């Protein structure tokens, strides 16, 4: 049943013209009749947009679903924090949008490192998502006439982003969560919150179950099913400081990886340019300030390094509006990766501002002068308030200080067109998979992808898998479950018994700094080679010297934290290896050796037009790399320029 | 803004497990930076406790942006602390003064049993939603999103109610431990949307009944819930809920 290497790289892209692939595919998928669905049981790990939408949709079809999440309620998944909006090709604004354009913008935004067929399907189902959410009662922003409102977002020339004030993720997730709760009430979903997946169980080469830990009591449990859907989000938290919620983690995906699932493009990380900068050592996370602020704010630093004057005492001719200077046609509105990198450069030159010198100004002085205070507060009032709450400074009077922060991970577990990993029966949805964003994700497209996967893709492809493989129930009383549980218990005991001298947070902060310095906004061969050794050393030290308090049989957040950081210690190395292997710059992956004369990312389509797939080879062993070639039949990869 | 370090005296509720007896324990922090968030101060304190071989304080948290609704601390007797429209994770230490004593306790309500220290069980909220906090539509087959126009004014009212983060501050602040603001907000959101219309009566009845069954108290119009709500949800939600409930009884 296990796939051969050749089959692995068969992404199972359907035949036919791009526009017809998904429909053709749906026609060829095997169906399970409703009575049969009732006999099948699916595990869904994670209840963010991807997991909640999948759980609800599958339960509606008749499957029996058991869903798990870390938080005390499904509604608190990290998706809740998304602010800006969700894209769809509705063309309600009559500004020339269509499915093709959304497809094209997304694939170009990803710097031509994703599959045409996947991205096209995403654009196709985008419209259904909006319809579905509205039907659930999601209160999107509306115009006075009662129609839905749109805004524009980076990387697009049309207005296609649907939003619910600055709380789009919250409203979409509550929609999906309520659909889930309806099925809980009907008995079709068993929702188990505060329950963390700690391993995947393979039986006869099929994904058949998981081992979990009850986060209240420490009880280790076994759960079996006919398929496992991993919807566990991204791994941006590996950098310690990021815009991600504190409990986001790579562990579920990493456990699957260690059971044989390929990890793809791990080095593709998105760094968002406008976040509130670090204020001190105690800092625990970074807060995003919407990228819409760059429509009116001007980015600058002093021309002179070490200029400590108050910003208002620095005259205009001693300020460097470096984005406007370097990119006269796009100015402050260059894409996320370009804006981020340039902020780093000026800070590296010693021209950063604020107490830590790791920030640049985002100044609204001129916008307020030109448009008036009321207009600016009308546009950005809630963001200005949030900024003031966090920093204690009033951005109407003093320029905001911003700095880039890790925001999203494009990499993830490899999946085929059906969203199935190379392990049969293990499906991966949402940010946890690598699939649709290539080397850079456009704003407002992660929400779209999570819901596309859960509402409109998996309900079709899962049935086909179950129908074709004639999956029969398994018991949790098998050697495979015994072994997986034993390994989980040993790992927990090892952490608890260690009683070292450094806390998990000490280690996480150190790892985060390595990742940020060497595998962050800008990377080079020498640094990457060096950091691999450093990560290995830190990992060794972690297992020798980490201190984990308390015991297993109780609520113990630092124990959870410990096993998550332990996994980051391994993932970090693979991210560095991937960045080292990819000798080109593309999207969020910037290799200093590969840039244009203007300092822009220089792709190498001849040699690096592929998805990297990393294979786990055993504890402490070097990973193997495989490559899924990408083909562009419908779009022609071009070099970006924002001059 | 002063960067002077502050000394803060904390009195924190410690309770080993659901059935243990809890008590307030004193901690003094002499290096609190005014720019720290309230939860960062707890991270900092926990680091110190662990380095002294003591057990860290357990508290729920996740997004730290005031939207996931995980954090739940009674700070000096106020749910989420002194700053208006601010969840504990967004509260910063500059709101306090050098030398202050701060009491930190979990939400207290019969329907929110304590799990450990400041962590409580809020699953009752999920069960209230399960009873009817949804529109019964299956995935697929929805009509075009613009097929039904909704006046902006109604959509905005619905949105204001929909912003609830489910943190439970309303329950914690209420002398009766009522969940009326939480329940009312969901009922009112759907009462202002055409999508909510078909199940309007069943929803109101089922959610209110479930709320009672979970052991939450009645509302006596103290309005403490509105005062502490980090999303500033208005108690008009409760009036709407009552109206919807009464209407649901006479059909
Ligand atoms: C501040 C911020 C703003 C954003 N704004 C936007 C935006 O405007 N538009 C946009 O398109 N995107 C935005 N994004 C990105 C987007 O929010 C995420 O990519 C997306 O929500 C991820 O959804 P998900 O369902 O894949 O995972 P998540 O929402 O991260 O959910 C993961 C789930 O898995 C569970 N889980 C994890 N590990 C385990 C385990 N081991 N066992 C059990 N359960 C587990 C968690 O409990 C959770 O339920 C933003 C991101 C951030 C950080």
């Amino acid at each position: 049943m296990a796939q051969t290497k050749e089959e692995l790289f068969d992404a199972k892209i359907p035949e036919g013209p791009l526009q017809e692939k998904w429909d053709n595919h749906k026609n060829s998928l095997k169906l399970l009749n409703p009575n049969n669905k009732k006999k099948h049981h699916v595990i869904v790990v994670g209840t963010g947009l991807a997991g909640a939408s999948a759980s609800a949709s599958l339960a509606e079809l008749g499957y029996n679903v058991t869903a798990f999440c870390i938080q005390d309620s499904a509604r608190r998944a990290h998706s809740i924090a998304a602010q800006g909006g969700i894209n769809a090709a509705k063309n309600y604004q009559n500004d020339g949008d269509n499915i093709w354009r959304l497809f094209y913008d997304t694939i170009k935004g990803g710097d031509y490192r994703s599959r045409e067929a996947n991205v096209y399907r995403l654009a196709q189902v985008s419209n259904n998502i909006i319809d579905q959410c509205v039907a659930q009662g999601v209160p999107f922003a509306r115009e006075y006439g009662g129609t839905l409102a749109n805004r524009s977002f980076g990387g697009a020339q049309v207005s296609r982003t649907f939003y619910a004030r600055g709380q789009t993720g919250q409203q979409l997730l509550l929609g999906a969560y309520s659909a889930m709760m309806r099925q809980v009430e009907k008995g079709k979903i068993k929702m188990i919150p505060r329950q963390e997946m700690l391993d995947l169980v393979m039986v006869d080469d099929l994904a058949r179950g998981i081992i979990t830990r009850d986060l209240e009591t420490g009880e280790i449990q076994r759960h079996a099913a006919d398929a496992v859907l991993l919807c566990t989000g991204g791994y941006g938290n590996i950098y310690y400081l990021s815009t991600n919620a504190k409990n986001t983690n790579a562990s579920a995906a990493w456990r699957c990886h260690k059971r044989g699932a390929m990890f793809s493009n791990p080095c593709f990380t998105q760094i968002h340019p406008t976040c509130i900068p670090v204020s001190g050592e105690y800092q625990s996370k970074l807060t995003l300030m919407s990228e819409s602020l760059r429509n009116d704010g001007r980015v600058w630093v002093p021309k002179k390094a070490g200029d400590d004057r108050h910003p208002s005492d620095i005259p205009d001719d001693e300020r460097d509006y470096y984005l406007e200077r370097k990119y006269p046609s796009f100015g402050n509105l260059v894409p996320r990766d370009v804006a981020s990198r340039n902020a780093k450069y000026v800070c590296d030159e010693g021209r950063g501002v604020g107490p830590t010198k790791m920030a640049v100004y985002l100044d609204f002085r001129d916008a307020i002068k030109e448009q008036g205070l009321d207009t600016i507060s009308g546009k950005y009032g809630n963001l200005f308030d949030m900024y003031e709450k966090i920093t204690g400074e009033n951005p109407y009077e003093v320029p905001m200080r911003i700095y880039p922060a890790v925001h999203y991970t494009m990499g993830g577990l490899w999946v085929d067109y059906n969203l199935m990993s190379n392990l049969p029966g293990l499906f991966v949805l949402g940010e946890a998979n690598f699939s649709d964003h290539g080397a850079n994700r456009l704003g407002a497209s992660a929400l779209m992808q999570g819901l596309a996967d859960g509402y409109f893709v998996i309900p079709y492809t899962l049935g086909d898998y179950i129908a074709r493989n004639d999956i029969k129930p398994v018991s949790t009383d098998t050697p495979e479950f015994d072994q997986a549980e034993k390994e989980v218990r040993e790992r927990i005991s090892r952490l608890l018994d260690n009683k070292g001298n450094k806390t998990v947070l000490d280690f996480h902060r150190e790892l985060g700094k390595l990742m940020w310095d060497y595998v962050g906004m800008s990377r080079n061969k020498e640094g990457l080679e060096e950091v691999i050794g450093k990560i290995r050393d830190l990992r060794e030290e972690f297992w020798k010297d980490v201190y984990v308090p308390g015991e297993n049989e109780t609520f113990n957040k630092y124990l959870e934290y410990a096993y998550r950081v332990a996994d980051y210690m391994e993932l970090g190395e693979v991210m560095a290896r991937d960045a080292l292997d990819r000798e080109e710059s593309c999207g969020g992956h910037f290799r200093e050796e590969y840039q244009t004369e203007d300092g822009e990312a220089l792709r190498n389509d001849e040699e690096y037009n592929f998805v990297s797939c990393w294979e786990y080879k055993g504890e402490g062993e070097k990973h193997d790399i495989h490559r899924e070639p990408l083909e562009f039949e419908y779009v022609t990869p071009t070099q970006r320029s924002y001059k | 803004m002063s960067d002077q370090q502050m000394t803060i005296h904390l009195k924190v509720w410690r309770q080993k497990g659901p059935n243990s007896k809890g008590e307030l324990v004193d901690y003094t922090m002499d290096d609190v930076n005014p720019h720290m968030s309230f939860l960062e101060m707890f991270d900092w304190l926990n680091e110190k406790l662990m380095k002294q071989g003591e057990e860290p304080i357990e508290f729920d948290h996740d997004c730290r942006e005031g939207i996931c609704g995980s954090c739940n601390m009674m700070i000096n007797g106020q749910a989420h602390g002194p700053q208006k429209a601010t969840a504990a994770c967004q509260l910063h230490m500059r709101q306090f003064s050098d030398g202050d004593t701060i009491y930190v306790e979990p939400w207290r309500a019969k329907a929110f049993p304590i799990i450990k220290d400041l962590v409580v069980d809020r699953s009752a909220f999920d069960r209230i939603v399960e009873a009817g906090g949804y529109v019964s539509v299956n995935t697929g087959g929805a009509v075009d999103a613009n097929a039904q126009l909704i006046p902006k004014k109604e959509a905005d009212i619905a949105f204001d109610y929909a912003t609830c983060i489910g943190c439970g501050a309303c329950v914690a602040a209420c002398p009766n431990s009522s969940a009326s603001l939480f329940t009312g907000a969901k009922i009112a959101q759907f009462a202002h949307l055409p999508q909510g219309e078909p199940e309007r009566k069943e929803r109101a009845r089922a959610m209110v009944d479930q709320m009672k069954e979970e052991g939450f108290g009645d509302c006596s119009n103290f309005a403490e819930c509105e005062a502490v709500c980090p999303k500033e949800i208005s108690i008009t939600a409760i009036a709407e809920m009552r109206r919807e409930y009464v209407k649901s009884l006479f059909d």
Side-chain angles (χ1 to χ4, degrees):
Chain A
M1 197 65 220
Q3 288 167 308
T4 64
K5 290 279 148 58
E6 293 75 55
E7 279 168 345
L8 162 64
F9 304 116
D10 179 4
K12 306 210 174 55
I13 309 280
E15 296 298 320
L18 188 61
Q19 289 81 350
E20 292 166 24
K21 284 181 193 292
W22 179 229
D23 284 337
N24 289 346
H25 191 56
K26 283 195 286 188
N27 293 338
S28 72
L29 292 174
K30 270 199 159 184
L31 297 177
L32 266 185
N33 80 44
N35 272 329
N36 256 335
K37 289 195 187 99
K38 284 187 203 139
K39 296 185 196 136
H40 288 284
H41 184 182
V42 184
I43 283 174
V44 180
V45 190
T47 61
L49 287 178
S53 58
S55 301
S57 305
L58 294 174
E60 287 161 9
L61 289 172
Y63 294 101
N64 302 301
V65 175
T66 308
F68 301 85
C69 73
I70 290 175
Q71 292 78 7
D72 66 331
S73 164
R75 65 181 289 156
R76 302 199 207 285
H78 165 61
S79 293
I80 203 95
Q83 304 173 351
I86 176 167
N87 288 330
K90 282 285 195 185
N91 192 32
Y92 283 160
Q93 306 308 321
N94 197 28
D95 55 2
D97 200 12
N98 56 34
I99 288 167
W100 175 268
R101 276 188 207 273
L102 174 55
F103 153 73
Y104 181 77
D105 289 346
T106 308
I107 208 146
K108 176 182 171 207
D111 220 354
Y112 306 98
R113 288 294 172 263
S114 43
R115 293 184 194 135
E116 283 183 334
N118 281 59
V119 179
Y120 196 85
R121 174 179 64 190
L122 176 65
Q124 274 177 309
V125 302
S126 68
N127 292 339
N128 304 89
I129 296 172
I130 303 303
D131 299 341
Q132 184 63 34
C133 295
V134 167
Q136 290 169 344
V138 168
F140 282 118
R142 287 180 183 267
E143 306 290 354
Y144 283 99
T147 53
L148 291 164
N150 290 117
R151 56 165 65 143
S152 42
F153 238 71
Q157 286 159 316
V158 293
S159 220
R160 63 159 74 100
T161 305
F162 294 78
Y163 62 100
R165 284 185 214 161
Q167 284 155 252
T168 316
Q170 183 200 25
Q171 294 309 316
L172 295 175
L173 183 60
L174 292 183
Y177 157 80
S178 65
M180 247 187 113
M181 295 317 277
R182 174 173 164 240
Q183 298 302 321
V184 171
E185 204 262 338
K186 288 181 189 298
K188 293 304 293 181
I189 297 181
K190 184 165 183 221
M191 178 65 228
I192 314 187
R194 288 209 209 270
Q195 186 86 206
E196 182 160 6
M197 165 179 169
L198 293 183
D199 211 341
L200 175 75
V201 182
M202 300 290 296
V203 180
D204 295 335
D205 292 326
L206 302 180
R208 293 309 302 265
I210 60 174
I211 306 290
T212 62
R213 178 171 178 269
D214 183 319
L215 302 181
E216 269 178 49
T217 63
E219 187 194 350
I220 306 294
Q221 300 181 358
R222 303 174 178 198
H223 299 270
D226 301 328
V228 176
L229 271 52
L230 206 72
C231 312
T232 48
Y235 52 90
N237 243 345
I238 190 173
Y239 290 83
Y240 181 60
L241 289 178
S242 81
T243 62
N244 289 194
K246 294 296 285 179
N247 291 304
T248 51
N249 68 90
S251 287
W254 195 252
R255 300 282 110 204
C256 295
H257 173 61
K258 292 181 91 167
R259 295 276 172 208
M262 298 285 165
F263 211 110
S264 282
N265 297 338
C267 83
F268 288 167
T269 312
Q270 178 163 84
I271 301 198
H272 198 292
T274 53
C275 301
I276 299 178
V278 177
S279 66
E281 210 201 329
Y282 48 79
Q283 188 100 22
S284 62
K285 81 155 286 187
L286 296 170
T287 302
L288 179 79
M289 289 272 102
S290 168
E291 95 179 35
S292 62
L293 290 168
R294 286 194 282 140
N295 281 301
D296 286 300
R298 296 180 70 194
V299 176
W300 66 276
V301 289
K303 282 189 175 159
K304 229 177 32 225
D307 189 338
D308 277 338
R309 285 174 293 174
H310 189 271
S312 55
D313 295 335
I314 304 182
D316 256 12
D317 60 355
E318 292 178 44
R319 299 175 174 197
D320 181 12
Y321 292 93
Y322 57 90
L323 290 178
E324 297 171 23
R325 172 171 61 78
K326 288 173 76 174
Y327 307 97
S329 62
F330 275 72
N332 294 297
L333 284 175
V334 290
R336 288 179 179 176
D337 55 334
V338 179
S340 294
R341 253 189 324 271
N342 278 282
K344 173 178 166 19
Y345 294 154
V346 295
C347 292
D348 288 350
E349 288 162 21
R351 299 196 286 146
V353 300
T356 61
K357 304 284 171 222
M358 289 306 275
V360 301
Y361 289 127
L362 179 63
D363 197 340
F364 292 86
R365 182 196 65 182
D366 297 342
I368 291 171
K369 224 184 284 166
E370 282 156 26
Q371 304 172 40
L373 196 92
D374 286 351
T375 310
I376 293 302
S377 109
K379 283 192 200 170
Y380 309 116
N382 59 342
L383 292 169
F384 279 38
D385 290 349
M386 172 143 89
Y387 181 85
E388 185 167 4
K389 223 176 247 178
I390 293 172
T391 62
E393 286 179 1
N394 177 352
Y396 293 100
E397 284 161 14
V398 209
M400 278 185 182
R401 282 175 291 116
I402 54 158
Y403 199 66
V406 172
H407 181 56
Y408 183 88
T409 47
M410 281 74 71
L413 292 184
W414 184 89
V415 288
D416 64 14
Y417 188 74
N418 295 319
L419 302 182
M420 190 163 87
S421 73
N422 59 302
L423 301 180
L426 175 68
F427 293 79
V428 191
L429 284 67
E431 193 173 338
N433 73 26
F434 88 101
S435 72
D436 296 353
H437 307 293
N440 174 54
R441 174 179 71 77
L442 286 187
S445 62
L447 303 183
M448 170 171 71
Q449 182 227 330
L451 291 179
D453 290 358
Y455 283 137
F456 296 110
V457 180
I458 200 70
Y460 293 90
T461 60
L462 178 75
D464 180 71
Y465 165 77
I466 291 180
R468 274 179 211 280
N469 292 286
D470 187 26
I471 307 280
K472 297 273 185 315
V474 287
S475 144
T476 55
D477 200 8
T478 65
E480 291 88 348
F481 276 95
D482 291 345
Q483 180 60 24
E485 178 176 331
K486 183 165 157 269
E487 286 174 28
V488 163
R489 286 187 185 279
E490 281 170 0
R491 211 171 145 78
I492 289 175
S493 306
R494 196 174 155 203
L495 285 166
L496 285 167
D497 295 345
N498 205 46
K499 300 290 175 228
N501 295 304
K502 280 167 74 173
T503 62
V504 183
L505 194 143
D506 289 335
F507 281 106
H508 192 189
R509 199 189 273 132
E510 264 180 70
L511 176 67
K513 185 154 171 22
L514 288 178
M515 297 304 293
W516 179 249
D517 289 346
Y518 294 91
V519 201
M521 269 186 281
S522 147
R523 303 135 181 211
N524 61 53
K525 182 163 191 278
E526 208 189 342
L528 290 165
E529 280 169 348
E530 195 183 323
V531 79
I532 291 172
K534 287 180 190 256
I535 296 170
R536 288 191 151 219
D537 292 347
L538 189 64
R539 186 162 72 222
E540 214 168 285
E541 195 194 332
F542 175 88
W543 283 106
K544 272 198 201 119
D545 205 23
V546 72
Y547 171 79
V548 183
E551 60 232 46
N552 177 58
E553 287 70 29
T554 158
F555 192 97
N556 186 346
K557 258 203 178 317
Y558 285 88
L559 171 61
E560 299 167 26
Y561 189 25
Y563 47 66
R564 292 174 200 156
V565 171
D567 288 335
Y568 283 147
M569 292 282 174
E570 298 177 15
L571 169 61
E573 181 180 334
V574 182
M575 289 169 70
R577 284 197 190 283
D578 190 45
L580 182 61
D581 178 78
R582 192 171 280 279
E583 296 188 334
E584 65 163 350
S585 295
C586 57
H589 170 63
F590 191 80
R591 278 284 299 265
E592 288 157 13
E593 306 94 314
Y594 310 101
Q595 45 183 309
T596 64
E597 271 176 23
D598 301 331
E600 305 306 339
L602 184 63
R603 279 199 330 267
N604 178 349
D605 292 335
E606 289 279 291
E607 290 174 88
Y608 291 92
N609 193 10
F610 61 75
V611 173
S612 67
C613 308
W614 293 87
E615 183 185 1
Y616 179 73
K617 301 297 283 183
E619 212 68 60
E621 298 295 319
K622 249 168 89 171
H623 276 62
D624 259 359
I625 184 173
H626 307 279
R627 299 174 176 90
E628 178 203 328
L630 290 168
E631 279 160 45
F632 292 95
E633 265 184 83
Y634 295 86
V635 298
T636 315
T638 52
Q639 184 69 47
R640 304 186 304 172
S641 166
Y642 300 97
K643 282 277 155 183
Chain B
M1 181 53 52
S2 156
D3 284 336
Q4 282 284 305
Q5 305 245 308
M6 311 190 290
T7 296
I8 297 286
H9 306 285
L10 290 167
K11 288 181 178 294
V12 183
W13 187 260
R14 303 296 313 255
Q15 181 172 332
K16 273 201 164 319
N19 304 314
S20 331
K21 226 170 123 296
E23 58 174 349
L24 285 169
V25 176
D26 292 344
Y27 301 98
T28 291
M29 306 263 297
D30 54 13
D31 53 356
V32 173
N33 185 304
H35 297 306
M36 276 180 174
S37 72
F38 202 79
L39 301 191
E40 282 166 351
M41 176 179 66
F42 269 78
D43 292 340
W44 203 242
L45 171 60
N46 277 345
E47 287 301 297
K48 292 188 178 186
L49 291 178
M50 285 187 282
K51 282 177 183 161
Q52 295 160 16
E54 290 176 49
E55 282 221 15
I57 301 161
E58 296 290 355
F59 60 97
D60 255 326
H61 64 93
D62 198 17
C63 77
R64 300 203 175 192
E65 290 191 10
I67 192 76
C68 74
S70 293
C71 58
N72 56 311
M73 290 180 178
M74 257 339 220
I75 300 170
N76 284 339
Q78 275 177 293
H80 291 305
Q83 199 175 1
K84 206 172 155 43
T86 305
C89 63
Q90 294 260 284
L91 180 65
H92 282 69
M93 293 314 295
R94 65 181 82 88
Q95 300 292 329
F96 298 90
S97 307
D98 190 23
D100 275 0
T101 298
I102 308 175
Y103 286 78
V104 186
E105 293 174 81
W107 287 169
R108 290 194 193 278
K110 191 168 118 218
F112 288 165
I114 294 176
I115 294 170
K116 187 174 179 185
D117 296 339
L118 303 170
V119 179
V120 301
D121 178 350
R122 287 171 287 192
S123 54
F125 270 12
D126 283 329
R127 290 188 292 272
I128 293 175
V129 175
E130 192 188 315
Y134 45 76
V135 173
S136 293
V137 289
N138 284 353
T139 303
V143 295
D144 183 83
N146 260 348
Q148 191 166 31
L149 302 179
I150 304 177
K152 181 169 164 41
K153 204 175 128 225
E154 285 299 301
D156 284 349
I157 296 174
F159 186 89
D160 287 340
Y161 291 131
T163 59
C164 170
I165 59 174
C167 62
C170 47
V171 174
C174 177
N176 304 347
S177 300
S178 171
S180 292
L181 192 66
F182 170 80
T183 311
K186 196 37 83 186
I187 292 172
Q189 173 196 339
F190 286 129
H192 284 272
L193 291 172
Q195 289 85 358
E197 197 54 40
E199 298 162 288
R200 193 167 177 163
K201 291 186 172 170
E202 295 83 344
R203 175 180 305 113
R205 201 160 44 219
M207 290 182 78
V208 171
D209 289 348
Q210 188 65 35
M211 173 176 78
K212 291 189 182 139
E213 199 165 302
E214 295 291 344
F216 293 105
D218 279 331
C219 168
S220 327
N221 296 324
F222 291 107
E224 294 287 339
C225 52
E226 183 185 76
V228 299
C229 176
K231 293 293 156 194
E232 300 188 286
I233 293 176
S234 156
I235 47 164
T236 53
I238 301 178
E240 296 219 25
M241 174 181 83
R242 286 185 171 134
R243 206 159 48 230
E244 296 294 319
Y245 187 72
V246 171
K247 273 200 275 183
S248 80
L249 300 175
F250 301 95
D251 63 334

